């Protein structure tokens, strides 16, 4: 593992501590100082996005409008726009949405 990746992992672990189960939005916002903190651009996540689209299309064909709760930086949003007329997304992190 590259040194840069080790530092990123340590930074994320420190900042994530206590943010998931609490309302510590300040610490949560700091996670987005790291590019792609949830590794949504990974092959695994890209595959999950494709599969989510496939399932939605299989069940609903085409969707007029979709609401994406927790859209973050919009990684999955890019996929979802391909299967609906209108996509609405929101996230608690202002920095992620920007």
């Amino acid at each position: 593992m590259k040194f840069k990746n080790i530092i990123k992992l340590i930074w994320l672990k420190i900042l994530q501590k206590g943010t998931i189960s609490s309302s510590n939005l300040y610490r949560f916002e700091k996670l987005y100082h790291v590019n792609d903190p949830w590794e949504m651009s990974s092959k695994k996540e890209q595959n999950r996005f494709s599969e989510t689209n496939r399932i939605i299309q299989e069940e609903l064909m085409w969707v007029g409008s979709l609401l994406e709760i927790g859209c973050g930086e919009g990684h999955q949003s890019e996929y979802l726009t391909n299967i609906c007329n209108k996509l609405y997304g929101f996230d608690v992190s202002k920095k992620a949405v920007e």
Side-chain angles (χ1 to χ4, degrees):
M1 182 178 261
K2 292 182 180 177
F3 182 72
K4 180 180 171 184
N5 291 339
I6 292 170
I7 296 299
K8 180 180 176 181
L9 279 174
I10 292 169
W11 172 254
L12 292 175
K13 289 290 182 193
I14 291 169
L15 288 174
Q16 286 176 0
K17 193 171 191 163
T19 59
I20 303 305
S21 61
S22 75
S23 60
N24 194 342
L25 188 57
Y26 173 75
R27 288 184 73 169
F28 188 74
E29 283 288 311
K30 283 191 157 242
L31 288 168
Y32 286 100
H33 289 283
V34 175
N35 186 33
D36 193 12
W38 312 114
E39 297 186 4
M40 293 296 187
S41 59
S42 70
K43 192 171 192 106
K44 175 184 168 188
E45 293 299 323
Q46 299 298 305
N47 199 28
R48 182 175 63 85
F49 300 154
S50 293
E51 278 300 295
T52 300
N53 274 22
R54 184 189 63 74
I55 292 167
I56 291 171
Q57 286 183 302
E58 190 175 279
E59 296 296 321
L60 304 172
M61 301 288 277
W62 185 259
V63 181
S65 59
L66 268 174
L67 172 62
E68 184 183 4
I69 300 170
C71 64
E73 298 169 305
H75 295 276
Q76 186 162 8
S77 306
E78 292 178 10
Y79 283 79
L80 293 173
T81 58
N82 294 316
I83 61 168
C84 66
N85 292 328
K86 189 76 173 168
L87 176 66
Y88 300 92
F90 73 90
D91 198 286
V92 296
S93 173
K94 181 180 176 184
K95 185 159 179 61
V97 173
E98 288 173 354

